[in-house]
């Protein structure tokens, strides 16, 4: 087989993080959003975020959700990228999928709240609609990719364990 050069250089977090830069971006963004919401002041009262606040989301609750999910995603991405595939197994990929699903749900809520506000109250669209909508769409793709990664890891691990049991038994 001829030598092929990698499409992207290896990511510092490890070989399994090279094609997960969007997931790293979203995980970092979630942690930074949590810090922003935890700061003093009323961030949710800004005009663009008012529809989200009217849905009943408080800043403290949102900061907790964003912070917890963001930290779980960072840890799952780090462990998937840094530790050998056989040690981590498919659990890390499923944690990544869970974090991406929660983020997709939240970004989708933001999108629909702003769309609802644009048609009922403001009668003009917000610039954040395509931003949150795009983030929600790509998070849905991240869920799909992470689940496929988990299934792939599970099947490779199962095959490796079967071979090991045959050799040892």
């Amino acid at each position: 087989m001829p030598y092929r050069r990698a499409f992207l250089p290896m990511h510092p977090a490890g070989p399994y993080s090279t094609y997960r830069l969007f997931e790293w971006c979203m995980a970092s963004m979630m942690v930074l959003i949590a810090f922003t919401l935890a700061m003093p002041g009323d961030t949710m009262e800004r005009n663009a975020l008012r529809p989200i606040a009217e849905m009943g989301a408080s800043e403290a609750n949102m900061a907790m959700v964003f912070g917890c999910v963001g930290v779980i995603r960072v840890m799952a991405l780090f462990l998937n990228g840094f530790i050998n595939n056989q040690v981590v197994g498919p659990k890390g990929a499923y944690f990544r999928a869970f974090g991406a699903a929660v983020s997709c749900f939240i970004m989708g809520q933001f999108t629909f709240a702003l769309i609802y506000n644009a048609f009922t109250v403001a009668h003009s669209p917000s610039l954040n609609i395509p931003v949150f909508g795009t983030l929600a769409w790509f998070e849905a793709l991240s869920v799909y990719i992470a689940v496929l990664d988990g299934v792939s890891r599970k099947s490779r691990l199962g095959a490796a364990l079967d071979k090991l049991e045959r050799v040892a038994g």
Side-chain angles (χ1 to χ4, degrees):
M1 182 173 195
Y3 174 76
R4 290 186 343 156
R5 201 173 96 181
F7 183 64
L8 293 174
M10 186 181 299
H11 193 270
Y16 297 105
S17 292
T18 302
Y19 296 105
R20 297 186 184 141
L21 295 179
F22 179 76
E23 288 185 57
W24 275 105
C25 173
M26 286 301 294
S28 303
M29 187 175 84
M30 291 181 84
V31 171
L32 293 173
I33 287 173
F35 283 131
T36 303
L37 290 170
M39 290 178 153
D42 202 5
T43 306
M44 298 294 288
E45 275 304 309
R46 302 237 169 133
N47 282 337
L49 299 176
R50 192 165 297 154
I52 298 160
E54 290 172 357
M55 288 175 28
S58 71
E59 286 189 28
N61 291 341
M62 288 185 62
M64 183 186 69
V65 169
F66 273 110
C68 291
V69 172
V71 167
I72 288 171
R73 288 183 80 177
V74 166
M75 289 304 299
L77 283 162
F78 179 76
L79 291 174
N80 275 176
F82 190 70
I83 297 177
N84 192 339
N85 192 16
Q86 285 80 11
V87 176
V88 175
K91 288 179 240 132
Y94 294 135
F95 281 122
R96 287 179 24 235
F98 171 76
V102 170
S103 179
C104 177
F105 178 73
I106 291 170
M107 296 302 161
Q109 279 189 321
F110 285 0
T111 303
F112 288 119
L114 292 173
I115 288 171
Y116 177 77
N117 181 292
F119 285 113
T120 60
V121 178
H123 299 293
S124 66
S126 169
L127 189 58
N128 288 328
I129 291 172
V131 172
F132 288 135
T134 303
L135 292 174
W137 174 251
F138 277 90
E139 282 292 73
L141 289 175
S142 293
V143 171
Y144 177 71
I145 291 168
V147 168
L148 285 181
D149 188 28
V151 169
S152 170
R153 286 169 185 255
K154 194 173 188 177
S155 64
R156 285 184 295 188
L157 286 176
L161 284 174
D162 287 340
K163 286 180 186 178
L164 184 63
E165 287 174 356
R166 274 188 253 132
V167 169

